[in-house]
Amino acid sequence: MKIAIITGASSGMGREFVYALDADEPFDELWVIARRRERLEELQAKTRAHVRVMALDLLDERSFDVVAEALAQAQPEVAVLVNAAGFGVFGAFAERELHRQLNMIDLNARALTAMCHICLTYLTRGSRIYNMGSMSSWQPVPYINVYGASKAYVLSFSRALSQELKPRGVRVMAVCPGWIQTEFFDHAVTDDTICYYNRFYPPEPVVRKALKDMKRGRLTSVLGLPERMQARAVKFLPVKMVMDTWCKQQKQPRE
């Protein structure tokens, strides 16, 4: 049985990956993971493949046991794993609740790592892993501090895992878009700390490019020429200059 597993599938990037993957190739089942069961159940009416709903909160470690047990029983070929579950919190580190920031690390980085490890046994030659990073993966981002750090982990982890899995013919790619128009902002924005957004993209072209870049064998996928130029530029610019520029854009102190 050939399956794709998509976390964060109830909305945003995860939901768009469900539609795009289903349209791109045949699967026996799509295993969709998120907290909101009713949103996951809606996916069946819009997909060709059978949808297996797994209403799980990946902040609860017991969820990983549920996924591992389901895989052990079904013994599928995991052709695609998409780790799209995650959230952000904007604002000064000292002014945001500790538990929210720790949860952000757990969902953005820890759960992603767990899902990759759980699925390893079921990946075959040609299997693909898409891990959701961000433009924040490429640089330190004051006032989106913990979110950016968690996404930097995703980028580094994905690159290294790709190298390790290369002999098995398994590809891993970090998807690192800029601002995307999703429900992400409903949770991330609580005040006007972040006030400058240079451009927004809808989720559909981000996912389309990710699928194309995976077929091209790329380690990362970044939609938009300005974003790709920025990702390259920050590798060579002094870190203080990069952070000062960001803070200036957001009208935040630079000293």
Side-chain angles (χ1 to χ4, degrees), residues 133-134 136-140 146-158:
S134 164
S136 302
S137 300
W138 306 98
Q139 63 190 68
V146 176
Y147 175 78
S150 71
K151 293 302 184 177
Y153 171 88
V154 172
L155 176 61
S156 179
F157 171 75
S158 299

Side-chain angles (χ1 to χ4, degrees), residues 49-65:
H50 178 263
V51 172
R52 177 166 180 169
V53 170
M54 306 182 79
L56 301 170
D57 182 354
L58 294 182
L59 287 175
D60 184 344
E61 283 195 25
R62 291 172 294 184
S63 296
F64 305 131
D65 295 331

